[in-house]
Amino acid sequence: MDHQQEEKVQLFGMWASPYVYKVKWALSIKGMEYEYVEEDLGNKSGQLLEHNPVHKKVPVLVYNGRPVAESDVIVQFIDDVWKGQGGRILPEDPHERAMARFWARFVPDKLSPPIWKWFTTAGGEEQEAAREAAVEHLRVLEAELNLGRNEFFGGDSVGLVDLSLGALAYVIPMYEEIIGARLITEEMFPSLYAWMGRFLAAPPVKDHLPPMEELKLRFRAIREYFLKNA
Amino acid sequence: MSEPVVVVGGWASPFVTRVCIALKLKGVEYEFLQEAVGRKSELLLRSNPVHKKMPVLLHGGRPVCESLVILQYVDEVFPGSSILPADPYHRAVHRFWAEYADAKLHTALRTMRGMVGGDKADAAEQVSAALRQLEDALAECSGGKPYFGGDDFGFLDIVVGSYIGWFGAAEKIAGLRVLDEASTPRLAAWAARFCAHEAVRDLMPDADRLVEFGEVLRAALAANASCRP
């Protein structure tokens, strides 16, 4: 890749999407500049539909006119294209890479669904069951994050697994405030709890966070909607 | 790498088939540990405590889980033919369609085979729609060459290709076509080519055997369920 050539990078996103932030953090790790295009998901632009006809979703990264969709695919693309520039997103060693990819999938496959279910269900047995499932998966992560001297899952700096888990660092406390119950306490999850604070303060992340008050209002409205339409 | 390679899995699972194809493509010798039908071995549970699923690749005793993760690991660790494309953009395209294929095909095929509840006709339509998308993806990715990977097959060929036996089995059980020359001519031709490839030939399960297997599995799972207190 000739980096002297002008590279045009566009990111199509939406201010509340955690998947969009994952991509922003990845671009930040590489120190890449880009043009950000905010989409109104209720009225999607022709460009978005052209770039992601299959899923019609954000984020989409357009690199020199070629679109890449799906946040996990985009993050690995970013690591491949700007290899040797900025920080590493995936580790060097193949077995460690496999572990990183495995744990990165764990978040959307196992962890996020019960957390979302917990947030969108009224208090009662069903919500409690979702909470217990979430806690079980958090315990697995807590054990895995037996960081020892590591600040992040990626080691000294934010990596693939940190990016995958990342938005939960601000989303979970927001859900907890809205529901009025805790999911992650320092006592139950000392490593995860500490990681959350470090992640939000990490260089690629701290200046690229969503507007928290607006997000909280949005989440409140979402919970109300789900409870009403249960 | 001279460390022993073991695959823990079952011949009928497309996720296992794809791992074996990748290893065969790389010319890697491995030991295949066939799981008993309807029962999970200690080794599987110990090697994949998070998901308790096959396939698991054990390389020098170290487990790697999740088929797409395993495929990329095999590509990175063993020399020989490349599985992922070299170009970052093409790699992204392969990864995108691999996720798409697994999301759209796996559960829908299981529904068609009656392994999970659901309307078979709806499931068949979902599979057909996904295959029509993959037909277009094949045109784009192959650029007129025989495979998604170009001149020889690569990541996306292996991922989609691993379902071919299941397409046949699902069609027989549900009595509905999903992969046919009329609606997806390129894909149908590609499927035949893929199955004839020397790295795939002996590994692609036969549709009739899969149909039989489905019945054996259902019976075993029902027997397990009736044994529980």
Side-chain angles (χ1 to χ4, degrees):
Chain A
M1 275 257 106
D2 177 13
H3 291 294
Q4 253 78 54
Q5 268 176 276
E6 196 180 298
E7 293 176 299
K8 179 150 191 246
V9 185
Q10 276 182 309
L11 174 61
F12 287 77
M14 185 265 189
W15 68 271
S17 163
Y19 308 107
V20 170
Y21 284 92
K22 195 196 302 185
V23 175
K24 287 188 176 192
W25 298 326
L27 287 164
S28 180
I29 289 172
K30 295 295 183 184
M32 280 311 295
E33 306 254 308
Y34 55 97
E35 179 200 343
Y36 177 74
V37 179
E38 175 73 16
E39 281 286 324
D40 172 1
L41 296 181
N43 184 19
K44 294 173 185 180
S45 72
Q47 276 191 57
L48 177 65
L49 298 175
E50 190 196 309
H51 290 317
N52 191 3
V54 175
H55 299 299
K56 305 176 174 53
K57 286 181 178 176
V58 292
V60 179
L61 188 82
V62 183
Y63 177 69
N64 291 342
R66 296 158 113 194
V68 183
E70 291 298 288
S71 64
D72 291 328
V73 176
I74 297 172
V75 168
Q76 292 200 68
F77 173 74
I78 288 171
D79 206 33
D80 282 342
V81 165
W82 294 296
K83 206 179 168 110
Q85 178 177 322
R88 289 201 73 106
I89 295 177
L90 273 148
E92 180 106 43
D93 172 74
H95 191 261
E96 282 178 37
R97 291 163 76 85
M99 289 295 99
R101 288 180 173 128
F102 175 86
W103 287 111
R105 298 179 71 90
F106 179 81
V107 179
D109 290 350
K110 290 286 215 183
L111 182 60
S112 296
I115 293 178
W116 180 248
K117 180 97 181 145
W118 171 67
F119 182 65
T120 55
T121 306
E125 249 178 65
E126 211 186 323
Q127 193 204 38
E128 188 49 35
R131 192 188 152 279
E132 275 169 24
V135 164
E136 190 194 309
H137 295 313
L138 287 167
R139 281 207 185 100
V140 171
L141 267 180
E142 173 77 15
E144 180 57 25
L145 222 197
N146 194 359
L147 293 172
R149 274 156 296 155
N150 282 343
E151 300 242 300
F152 301 101
F153 288 94
D156 295 326
S157 59
V158 169
L160 188 72
V161 181
D162 304 280
L163 291 178
S164 198
L165 198 50
L168 292 176
Y170 59 82
V171 167
I172 288 180
M174 239 178 247
Y175 287 179
E176 289 173 337
E177 194 186 311
I178 292 168
I179 293 182
R182 299 294 295 278
L183 191 61
I184 296 189
T185 62
E186 196 170 356
E187 289 95 344
M188 280 182 77
F189 300 106
S191 290
L192 270 176
Y193 189 82
W195 170 85
M196 284 162 75
R198 281 198 294 271
F199 181 82
L200 295 173
V205 176
K206 66 180 171 25
D207 298 322
H208 304 280
L209 288 168
M212 294 300 177
E213 287 314 308
E214 277 100 318
L215 193 58
K216 212 176 289 182
L217 283 171
R218 182 183 167 85
F219 279 139
R220 275 192 204 280
I222 288 173
R223 180 164 165 80
E224 269 168 40
Y225 171 85
F226 272 94
L227 264 45
K228 210 160 39 155
N229 292 291
Chain B
M1 288 259 142
S2 54
E3 290 177 294
V5 178
V6 176
V7 174
V8 181
W11 62 269
S13 160
F15 306 110
V16 174
T17 302
R18 59 179 63 157
V19 170
C20 296
I21 291 172
L23 289 168
K24 186 110 185 253
L25 191 67
K26 292 280 192 180
V28 175
E29 304 246 318
Y30 62 94
E31 185 191 353
F32 185 77
L33 294 180
Q34 170 70 48
E35 288 283 294
V37 178
R39 215 172 13 100
K40 296 181 187 193
S41 69
E42 262 310 298
L43 179 63
L44 179 69
L45 296 174
R46 211 173 48 233
S47 314
N48 191 358
V50 174
H51 300 294
K52 305 177 174 55
K53 285 185 178 173
M54 57 171 76
V56 176
L57 180 85
L58 291 160
H59 188 202
R62 279 169 319 182
V64 182
C65 307
E66 291 293 287
S67 67
L68 298 183
V69 176
I70 299 172
L71 285 182
Q72 294 179 85
Y73 175 79
V74 166
D75 197 29
E76 290 167 14
V77 154
F78 299 107
S81 314
S82 259
I83 294 176
L84 261 303
D87 176 71
Y89 184 73
H90 294 140
R91 290 156 87 94
V93 172
H94 277 231
R95 286 182 176 131
F96 173 87
W97 286 112
E99 297 287 347
Y100 175 86
D102 281 352
K104 297 291 183 185
L105 297 176
H106 180 223
T107 304
L109 285 168
R110 294 190 79 214
T111 305
M112 281 178 75
R113 289 165 60 226
M115 297 307 295
V116 293
D119 186 273
K120 288 185 178 165
D122 285 346
E125 182 43 44
Q126 182 173 312
V127 175
S128 298
L131 291 180
R132 285 193 293 271
Q133 285 276 19
L134 288 167
E135 171 85 0
D136 291 341
L138 177 57
E140 237 186 87
C141 291
S142 66
K145 293 183 178 180
Y147 298 103
F148 285 97
D151 289 312
D152 204 352
F153 70 66
F155 188 69
L156 190 52
D157 297 278
I158 298 174
V159 172
V160 182
S162 63
Y163 286 109
I164 294 171
W166 274 34
F167 293 142
E171 288 173 342
K172 281 177 196 274
I173 295 172
L176 298 155
R177 287 303 298 273
V178 288
L179 178 66
D180 70 85
E181 298 86 25
S183 44
T184 54
R186 276 192 199 91
L187 210 59
W190 163 85
R193 203 178 294 137
F194 183 81
C195 290
H197 194 289
E198 60 174 348
V200 177
R201 247 187 333 246
D202 302 325
L203 293 168
M204 185 59 62
D206 177 70
D208 288 320
R209 272 192 83 201
L210 282 173
V211 172
E212 259 175 50
F213 173 80
E215 278 148 34
V216 172
L217 179 60
R218 252 196 302 272
L221 292 172
N224 287 348
S226 65
C227 285
R228 286 199 203 103

